[in-house]
Amino acid sequence: MAGREIAAYRIEAEIGRGGMATVYRARDLRLDRTVALKLLSPGLARNEVFRERFIRESRLAAGLDHPHIVPVFEAGEADGVLYIAMRYVPGEDLRALLDRQGRLSVDTTARIAAQVASALDAAHAHGLVHRDVKPGNILVAEGIDPDHPEHVYLADFGLMKRSLSLTGLTSTGQFVGTVDYVAPEQISGRPVDGRCDVYSLACVVYEALAGTPPFRRDDDLAQLWAHLNEPAPPLSSHRTDLPAGVDAVLAKGLAKSPDDRYGSCLAFVAALRDAGGGLGKRAAPHPATQVDHGPAVPAAQPPRPPAWAMPVFAPRER
C-alpha cells in the first residue's frame, strides 16, 4: 500500500491493524502534514446503511474538541474505500506499554485512567458511546513536564454509535468490542450508554494494575460467558500492596448491571483514587522534611492607584 493515494493522502507505512480496519501513517498532500489514515475493510463499504452511518458518526466524532481525544480531520469515501484521517500521535499505545513493562504503578495507572475518563465523559455528554475502550485505543505520548510525564489520547471514535436506544451489535450483525474489555450489555445485545464504557475502562485499569485482564479463558465464548455471569477475581489476588478499598471500587466498576456501576468514568477514577489514598496525586512532603517558616505573613495588598487614575481603575474594582 505504500505510495498509494487515497483522497488527498499518500500512504507511507502501516502502523496498526484490526478486524474492521487498517491504520496507516500517511501524508496529507494538501497541508503537507503527517496523519493517521484509517481504511475500513472493503466489505463494510459495500453496505450502504453502514457506509452512511459511518460517515455521519465520523463527522460527529470530528466535532469533539477535547485534549484527550485524537482529533478527526476528515472522514469520507474515495474509490470505494471508507477512510478517516486523524492526528498522527507519536509514541506507543497502552497495549505496547503493558506488553513491554508488565503491570504499571498505581500512580501511572491513575494518571492514564483520569485522562481517558475525561475523554469518555466528554463524548458521553455529546450522546456518543465509544464501546471499544481497550489498551490498543489508548495512545500514550510524551508529557509536558515531570508532573505530567505522559499525555494520553483516546482513539477510534470513528465507529461509535449514538447511545440512544442502540445496542452493542452493528446493523450488519458484527460484534463491536474486544472480548477482554466488553461490557455484558454489549454481549447480550441490550441497549448501551456511557456506563458500558465505565465497565471497559474498569477492565483496562484492572489489567494495568494486575498485569492481566479480569477474565482470561481458553476461548472467546468462555470469556464472554465470564463477563456475563462470573465476578472478577479481587485485584488483591494479584497484588497485595493496594488498600482493601480498591477491590470494592473495581467490583462496582465491573458490575454486571449498568445500574450498579458508577454513573460516569470520572466518578469511577475519583473513587479509585479515594480508595487508594490518593492514587496518582502528588504526595504531601513527609512531616520530617517539612521546614517551619514561622507564622504566616499576610500577603501585602497592592497599592491603590492615585486619585487622578481612579476613573480608569474603578470599573475593574466593582
Side-chain angles (χ1 to χ4, degrees):
M1 292 287 288
R4 180 180 175 185
E5 292 185 14
I6 301 291
Y9 305 97
R10 180 183 295 124
I11 294 174
E12 296 179 343
E14 181 178 321
I15 57 177
R17 180 179 292 268
M20 299 175 68
T22 304
V23 183
Y24 299 91
R25 188 182 72 242
R27 197 71 184 168
D28 184 337
L29 300 177
R30 292 167 297 189
L31 298 177
D32 193 25
R33 62 180 173 181
T34 300
V35 301
L37 185 68
K38 171 178 284 189
L39 304 183
L40 271 69
S41 302
L44 296 174
R46 290 193 290 268
N47 183 296
E48 184 176 353
V49 174
F50 181 91
R51 183 175 64 251
E52 292 177 356
R53 193 194 73 210
F54 165 81
I55 294 173
R56 180 177 66 252
E57 293 178 357
S58 295
R59 289 171 179 168
L60 286 171
L64 293 175
D65 183 12
H66 191 276
H68 298 295
I69 294 176
V70 175
V72 173
F73 298 141
E74 184 182 14
E77 181 181 3
D79 301 324
V81 177
L82 294 173
Y83 69 90
I84 312 174
M86 302 165 286
R87 174 182 290 172
Y88 176 74
V89 178
E92 62 184 352
D93 58 36
L94 183 58
R95 174 76 278 142
L97 180 63
L98 293 174
D99 290 344
R100 179 169 53 83
Q101 274 189 222
R103 69 186 191 185
L104 303 179
S105 71
V106 292
D107 284 353
T108 300
T109 300
R111 285 195 308 267
I112 291 174
Q115 295 177 65
V116 175
S118 176
L120 287 169
D121 283 353
H124 299 162
H126 286 78
L128 295 168
V129 183
H130 192 285
R131 299 185 307 141
D132 195 19
V133 179
K134 59 183 179 182
N137 282 334
I138 297 170
L139 308 182
V140 184
E142 184 177 355
I144 57 174
D145 57 44
D147 290 337
H148 307 85
E150 60 275 308
H151 186 96
V152 174
Y153 293 92
L154 184 61
D156 207 14
F157 274 90
L159 294 177
M160 292 184 302
K161 280 187 174 183
R162 306 205 91 182
S163 63
L164 298 178
S165 71
L166 294 176
T167 72
L169 298 176
T170 70
S171 59
T172 58
Q174 292 175 293
F175 180 78
V176 175
T178 304
V179 292
D180 282 336
Y181 318 99
V182 64
E185 59 269 30
Q186 290 176 262
I187 299 169
S188 59
R190 287 177 288 156
V192 300
D193 57 26
R195 293 171 297 180
C196 83
D197 289 339
V198 173
Y199 184 95
S200 297
L201 179 60
C203 289
V204 171
V205 167
Y206 188 107
E207 180 177 2
L209 291 173
T212 183
F215 301 105
R216 271 288 166 89
R217 300 294 185 269
D218 291 336
D219 59 62
D220 288 352
L221 287 178
Q223 198 159 340
L224 294 174
W225 173 265
H227 280 292
L228 281 168
N229 299 288
E230 300 177 14
L235 190 62
S236 56
S237 66
H238 295 282
R239 58 188 296 178
T240 59
D241 60 329
L242 299 179
V246 174
D247 278 342
V249 173
L250 265 297
K252 182 171 181 178
L254 295 170
K256 305 303 180 187
S257 170
D259 293 337
D260 295 332
R261 296 178 206 143
Y262 295 96
S264 71
C265 294
L266 282 173
F268 162 66
V269 173
L272 181 68
R273 282 175 160 166
D274 289 345
L279 301 180
K281 298 179 181 178
R282 289 180 61 84
H286 190 277
T289 66
Q290 294 181 357
V291 179
D292 185 4
H293 296 285
V297 178
Q301 295 296 316
R304 291 182 61 80
W308 58 265
M310 287 303 295
V312 175
F313 286 87
R316 298 182 184 181
E317 295 181 347
R318 291 193 185 101

